[in-house]
Amino acid sequence: MSSLRRTDNPVPPQILDSSGGANQVRVRAYNERLVLSLVRRHGAQSKTDVARRSGLSAQTVSVIMRALEKEGLLTRDAPVRGKVGQPSIPMRLNPDAVLSFGVKIGRRSADLVLMDFVGRIRLQLHKIYPYPLPQDLLGFIASGIKELETKLDEKERSRVAGIGIAAPFELWNWAEEVGAPQGAMEVWRGFDLQAEISDKVPYPVFLQNDATSACGAELVFGVGPHYPDFVYFFIGSFIGGGIVLNSSIFGGRTGTAGAIGPLPVRGHNGESVQLLEIASIFVLENMLRERGIDPQPLWYSADDWIDFGEPLEAWIQETAKALAQAVVAAASIIDFSAAVIDGGFPGWVRERVVTATIREARKLDLQGVVMPDIVEGIVGAQARAIGGASLPIFARYLIDQNVLFKEIEHAEGP
C-alpha cells in the first residue's frame, strides 16, 4: 500500500542535478517561489497552512517564511488565537516589495501602468492615436517610464522587476477596419518590439499577446480562484480571449488556443461571419460615425464612457447574440465551468453585455450542452496592462509561470 509522506524537496525532476542529488540552491529558490505562489493564490497564510498546502515540513516552511519576511516579500497580519496553544501569525504578500511596469498596446490607444506586488495599479499614463506606429509607441514607453520614475524614490526604483508588454500579434492585420491608410501598418512586419524596447529601457522586457495577458490577469487577480476551467472573452478594439484549464492558461500546439476572434457565428442576415466582426469596439465606433456621433470618447478612458443611447444598445444586443453562440460552441467542446466576459469599457457596459448574453444564450438550442456560468470579469478595462505587468513578477518570484503562458521564457535580463 502506498502512502503520502511529507518531504522537504517537492520539486520537479529538472531541479535535480544529473547525479540524482538535489542542487540545494535551486531547491531553496524553488521552495521560496512555491511559498510565495501559495500565499498569492490563497491570501494570508500561517506557516501551518503553507506546510499543509505545500507538502514541506513545518521546520522548512518556518525557515523560508522568516527569510521571505526579512527580504520584505512577506508581511505579518494580526495574530489569530485558537482555543489552545500559541496564536498563529498569518503572512501575506507585501504590496510594496516588488513593482513592475505594464504596457498595453491597442489599435486605438496605449496604456503604461506601474503595478505593485498584489496587482494594484499605482501610477498610469494613457495615449490615444488613430492607429499604432512603432516609433510613436517606443517614444511613449521610453518617455513614460522616465516620467513615472520621477515619482518614485530610489528604494522604489530598485524594486522594479521589469516591463511586461501586452500587444496584439500581427498588428498589420485588419488595418482597414481601424481606418489606417493602405500600407501604413506594414511597418510592423518583421519589427521586433521586445528587442526595440529593450534597447531603450534599463529593465528586462517581456512580451505577450494582449488577450492572453488579460486572461492571465483574470486567472490571477479575478475569478480564477473560483473557476479552475473557463473560456475568456475580452472585448477590445477587436475581441480576443483565452482558455484556462486546471487553473493554467492553455495555449495549444501553436500558442493560439483561445484566439476566439475568428470563431464563426451567424451575422445579421444569417450569414457566417467571424466573431470579431460583430463583438468588437471598432464596430461600435463605426456605428457611431455612421450616425454622425463623435466616437473619440470611446478611447479617452475605458472607465469613463458616456451612454451613447440607441447605437450603444444596438451594439450590445448584437454583441450578446454573437457571444451567446460563441459560449455554446466553446461549451460543446470543453466542459467549462464558466464563460468570463470583460472588455475595455466601464463596468456598467460590461454588466449590460453579460446580462444580454445570458438572455440570448437561453434562446439557443442547448440540447446536449452543459452550459457554463456566464459571468463578468473582475479585473476590468486594465486587464491587458495588468497582465503585462504580471509577466516580470511571475518570471522572477513565482513558480506558476505558465499562468501567463510561455512567452516569459524568451525574456531577456536577470
Side-chain angles (χ1 to χ4, degrees), residues 98-373:
V98 183
L99 301 173
S100 178
F101 288 109
V103 178
K104 181 273 292 186
I105 295 175
R107 290 178 172 85
R108 285 287 191 245
S109 66
D111 290 288
L112 171 64
V113 305
L114 180 74
M115 190 184 79
D116 65 22
F117 203 27
V118 297
R120 289 196 293 258
I121 294 177
R122 298 286 185 91
L123 301 168
Q124 58 184 310
L125 297 172
H126 182 68
K127 177 182 177 65
I128 62 174
Y129 37 70
Y131 50 90
L133 292 175
Q135 294 308 316
D136 292 342
L137 285 166
L138 291 176
F140 168 68
I141 294 168
S143 63
I145 287 175
K146 289 180 180 179
E147 179 181 341
L148 296 186
E149 283 178 329
T150 64
K151 301 178 181 181
L152 306 177
D153 58 34
E154 184 176 350
K155 188 174 183 180
E156 289 172 326
R157 287 195 294 271
S158 70
R159 292 173 174 170
V160 175
I163 303 168
I165 311 294
F169 291 166
E170 299 185 354
L171 266 164
W172 57 89
N173 283 333
W174 298 288
E176 181 180 347
E177 283 80 354
V178 296
Q182 186 174 3
M185 300 283 282
E186 288 298 308
V187 67
W188 284 105
R189 289 187 187 269
F191 186 84
D192 192 333
L193 181 62
Q194 183 175 353
E196 293 290 341
I197 294 175
S198 296
D199 288 342
K200 292 177 170 55
V201 298
Y203 306 108
V205 177
F206 301 75
L207 178 65
Q208 180 56 279
N209 175 264
D210 60 336
T212 305
S213 295
C215 184
E218 191 65 44
L219 171 59
V220 178
F221 302 114
V223 304
H226 307 291
Y227 295 104
D229 308 292
F230 62 86
V231 56
Y232 178 79
F233 302 87
F234 189 91
I235 305 172
S237 297
F238 293 84
I239 191 170
I243 291 175
V244 169
L245 298 176
N246 299 320
S247 296
S248 293
I249 295 287
F250 176 74
R253 179 177 57 86
T254 63
T256 58
I260 50 84
L263 193 78
V265 295
R266 290 192 307 276
H268 309 291
N269 302 313
E271 76 282 16
S272 178
V273 298
Q274 292 190 336
L275 179 63
L276 64 85
E277 296 179 56
I278 297 177
S280 296
I281 295 177
F282 89 89
V283 178
L284 173 59
E285 179 184 34
N286 291 337
M287 292 172 66
L288 294 174
R289 190 175 287 112
E290 289 168 0
R291 289 162 172 78
I293 302 172
D294 182 9
Q296 281 292 99
L298 293 174
W299 315 113
Y300 290 148
S301 171
D303 292 319
D304 296 323
W305 279 20
I306 62 174
D307 191 336
F308 290 98
E310 180 274 329
L312 175 61
E313 180 60 24
W315 176 77
I316 288 174
Q317 295 305 317
E318 292 301 321
T319 292
K321 291 176 183 177
L323 283 175
Q325 296 173 59
V327 171
V328 172
S332 300
I333 303 299
I334 296 177
D335 186 18
F336 291 109
S337 53
V340 182
I341 300 172
D342 208 340
F345 37 55
W348 58 269
V349 174
R350 179 180 62 221
E351 180 181 7
R352 286 169 62 177
V353 169
V354 171
T355 299
T357 301
I358 294 171
R359 184 171 58 248
E360 291 298 328
R362 290 170 178 162
K363 298 177 183 178
L364 299 176
D365 183 356
L366 302 179
Q367 185 173 358
V369 179
V370 179
M371 282 295 288
D373 295 339

Side-chain angles (χ1 to χ4, degrees), residues 71-86:
E71 292 176 33
L73 295 170
L74 294 180
T75 185
R76 297 188 179 206
D77 268 5
V80 177
R81 298 187 179 276
K83 294 181 180 179
V84 296
Q86 295 292 322

